[in-house]
Amino acid sequence: MADTSIGTPEQLRDPNYTPALHRAIPLGIQHVLAMFVSNVTPAIIIAGAAGFGFGSDAGAQGFPDMTYLIQMSMLFAGVATLLQTIGFGPVGARLPIVQGTSFAFIPIMIPLVAGKGVEALPVLFGGVLVGGLFHAFIATFIGKIRFALPPLVTGLVVTMIGLALVKVGIQYAAGGVPAIDKPEYGSLLNWSAALVVVFVTLALKFYAKGMLAVSAVVIGIVVGYFYAMAMGMVTLEGIATSWGRAAPIAFPVPFKYGFEFGFAAIIGFCLMAFVSAVETVGDVSGITKGGAGREATEEEITGATYADGVGSAVAGIFGGFPNTSFSQNVGLIAMTGVMSRHVVTIGALFLILCGLVPKVGAVIRTIPIEVLGGGVIVMFGMVVAAGISMLSDVNWNRRNMVIFAISLSIGLGLQLDPKAVQYLPDTLRILMTSGLLPAALIAIVLNLLLPEELSDEATEEVSGGMAGHSKGSLPQDGHV
């Protein structure tokens, strides 16, 4: 319920209203805290997949490259958020939209960097830049492509993103990929740290209200961090060393890792830009409905999509990942009732400040991977749940069941057994093993090409008796 002490009901629904600073600052930081862990997690996952994250030789030098990626995630989430709240010409919705590193691109990025170290980053950031520019281009016709991405397609894609990532959560909770062949992998100590995070998060989600519930994952990780300290998994000496190694302030370096354009990276990022753009349209609509009680305008939707793309492209130049609007923000605005874009601007400035201070990243990197795993299990599980929620809006006729079945089977199957396509050319193999792109492409094409209805007989023989029957059908034994 909205706090009317912050302003009148009319003011609270106005994106241009600015509450008093002593109210606006904590409200702005709230928005950032609600997405903070989600925002920096992709950097940690990509560093780990590439081989310079937790458990790697880079630990001796204090994980400098992972720290830089974390730093850029915070900095350019703040910059992209400013593009949304303040706007720049046609760029930005001028609404309280919080931007952050997108989970959607992780299944695309992991095959691009897997085991290749820092040498894989030039191609990765080349893809981020081109994909961001393409994302901005989509803004010019976003209204015209929404028909190609109904809930059947978007729900499938979001579900696939979550399914691709849940394995990461389990591996982190058990001790991380570098520990897989070691005796401590999957130990009770490792799992206890992850489960503390899971249980604290669940307790806050179900039994707390307000900001405690919204920031449940952050609080869960903080509690897990203290538990890890008590169990000797983190030491004060280690924290002090990490803090001491980090510079007090550092600015982003353009093309820090070089730049290279790879076909697989460009195709992957451009295709995922479609899905991200449609997700942003949904977030903008949710914010205007929940906060202002109205539909989003065409200018707001177009401006938000422009900001997504421009923010991602700029991030790619400096070593950041693709940005998108964060859905957690929609629920937070509905909870506080404060629609002010200037409140979120304050949150963006806080993010930028964190991104310019490497010591913040230095503290984040001391979080044990098992503790992070507990948070990741919850976050990626929620991504799967969000996808299933989208699928609940689908009319589950036989046509849609067939589209979903084929897309999921191929997409998930390729994720589970990437060696099935090991003889394909490198570019195609990388795109196929993500699982996400083939599933999305199949779903989009089949949805556009297949006739609206399939007969009962068309799916009966392949459904194993589980196809379901329309009203009026005879029972299986033939008796009326």
Side-chain angles (χ1 to χ4, degrees):
M1 190 175 176
D3 184 355
T4 51
S5 65
I6 299 171
T8 66
E10 291 74 23
Q11 288 174 326
L12 295 179
R13 285 194 295 269
D14 181 8
N16 298 313
Y17 170 65
T18 308
L21 268 183
H22 72 282
R23 297 273 192 177
I25 290 173
L27 283 170
I29 292 174
Q30 271 189 178
H31 282 280
V32 171
L33 286 177
M35 54 74 79
F36 197 84
V37 176
S38 303
N39 183 52
V40 300
T41 298
I44 297 169
I45 290 172
I46 298 307
F52 56 84
F54 290 117
S56 68
D57 295 338
Q61 292 84 44
F63 303 112
D65 294 303
M66 183 170 76
T67 302
Y68 182 80
L69 296 184
I70 292 171
Q71 188 183 337
M72 293 304 101
S73 295
M74 294 184 288
L75 178 60
F76 286 100
V79 170
T81 302
L82 285 184
L83 285 175
Q84 289 285 23
T85 60
I86 295 175
F88 183 76
V91 178
R94 292 166 176 81
L95 289 172
I97 297 171
V98 176
Q99 297 283 112
T101 309
S102 174
F103 283 161
F105 293 84
I106 298 178
I108 307 300
M109 294 191 280
I110 288 175
L112 286 169
V113 303
K116 297 175 185 174
V118 177
E119 290 73 27
L121 295 183
V123 171
L124 183 71
F125 293 128
V128 175
L129 172 60
V130 177
L133 294 174
F134 181 71
H135 196 144
F137 172 67
I138 292 172
T140 59
F141 56 90
I142 182 67
K144 296 181 178 66
I145 64 166
R146 288 178 71 183
F147 78 94
L149 295 163
L152 174 64
V153 175
T154 52
L156 169 71
V157 170
V158 173
T159 303
M160 285 290 300
I161 291 167
L163 291 175
L165 296 174
V166 287
K167 180 181 178 182
V168 174
I170 296 296
Q171 287 176 335
Y172 277 25
V177 175
I180 283 177
D181 295 323
K182 296 177 181 175
E184 66 268 22
Y185 185 75
S187 69
L188 191 59
L189 177 62
N190 291 353
W191 271 106
S192 69
L195 291 174
V196 165
V197 179
V198 172
F199 289 140
V200 170
T201 302
L202 287 176
L204 290 172
K205 281 285 183 192
F206 282 96
Y207 299 109
K209 292 182 179 178
M211 196 57 203
L212 283 176
V214 172
S215 301
V217 176
V218 181
I219 297 168
I221 286 177
V222 170
V223 173
Y225 190 74
F226 283 113
Y227 172 81
M229 287 179 69
M231 301 302 290
M233 300 168 78
V234 186
T235 64
L236 291 174
E237 183 186 358
I239 298 169
T241 302
S242 186
W243 178 271
R245 278 179 172 158
I249 189 165
F251 295 97
V253 180
F255 309 114
K256 177 179 171 69
Y257 297 102
F259 229 66
E260 193 178 325
F261 295 110
F263 189 65
I266 289 170
I267 293 295
F269 281 104
C270 287
L271 289 175
M272 281 312 302
F274 276 107
V275 179
S276 184
V278 171
E279 181 189 355
T280 296
V281 171
D283 288 342
V284 173
S285 301
I287 284 169
T288 54
K289 281 180 186 174
R294 62 172 175 82
E295 294 293 329
T297 66
E298 196 68 34
E299 291 77 16
E300 287 168 339
I301 287 173
T302 302
T305 310
Y306 270 130
D308 260 14
V310 173
S312 295
V314 173
I317 292 171
F318 293 94
F321 297 127
N323 278 280
T324 191
S325 58
F326 260 53
S327 301
Q328 293 99 313
N329 193 48
V330 179
L332 188 55
I333 287 172
M335 184 191 83
T336 63
V338 180
M339 185 69 178
S340 170
R341 61 190 173 112
H342 303 303
V343 161
V344 175
T345 297
I346 291 169
L349 294 173
F350 177 76
L351 268 178
I352 290 170
L353 181 65
C354 289
L356 293 173
V357 180
K359 288 188 182 295
V360 176
V363 172
I364 292 170
R365 74 177 178 228
T366 64
I367 299 172
I369 196 166
E370 299 84 359
V371 171
L372 188 66
V376 167
I377 285 172
V378 176
M379 287 188 289
F380 293 161
M382 288 301 293
V383 173
V384 177
I388 293 170
S389 177
M390 290 177 178
L391 290 169
S392 68
D393 294 330
V394 175
N395 173 23
W396 285 109
N397 56 27
R398 294 168 190 277
R399 171 189 182 274
N400 290 339
M401 285 174 68
V402 168
I403 293 172
F404 183 80
I406 299 294
S407 306
L408 184 71
S409 293
I410 293 175
L412 189 57
L414 288 171
Q415 280 181 6
L416 294 173
D417 191 6
K419 287 186 178 178
V421 288
Q422 62 180 321
Y423 295 114
L424 288 177
D426 281 353
T427 295
L428 198 54
R429 178 179 52 77
I430 289 169
L431 294 174
M432 293 292 283
T433 53
S434 74
L436 188 57
L437 289 178
L441 199 59
I442 291 166
I444 290 169
V445 171
L446 290 181
N447 183 61
L448 293 174
L449 295 183
L450 286 184
E452 279 304 308
E453 286 298 333
L454 291 176
S455 66
D456 287 358
E457 292 77 15
T459 54
E460 191 64 49
E461 65 175 302
V462 294
S463 63
M466 296 178 135
H469 297 272
S470 57
K471 288 181 181 178
S473 297
L474 291 176
Q476 288 292 321
D477 60 5
H479 295 291
V480 178

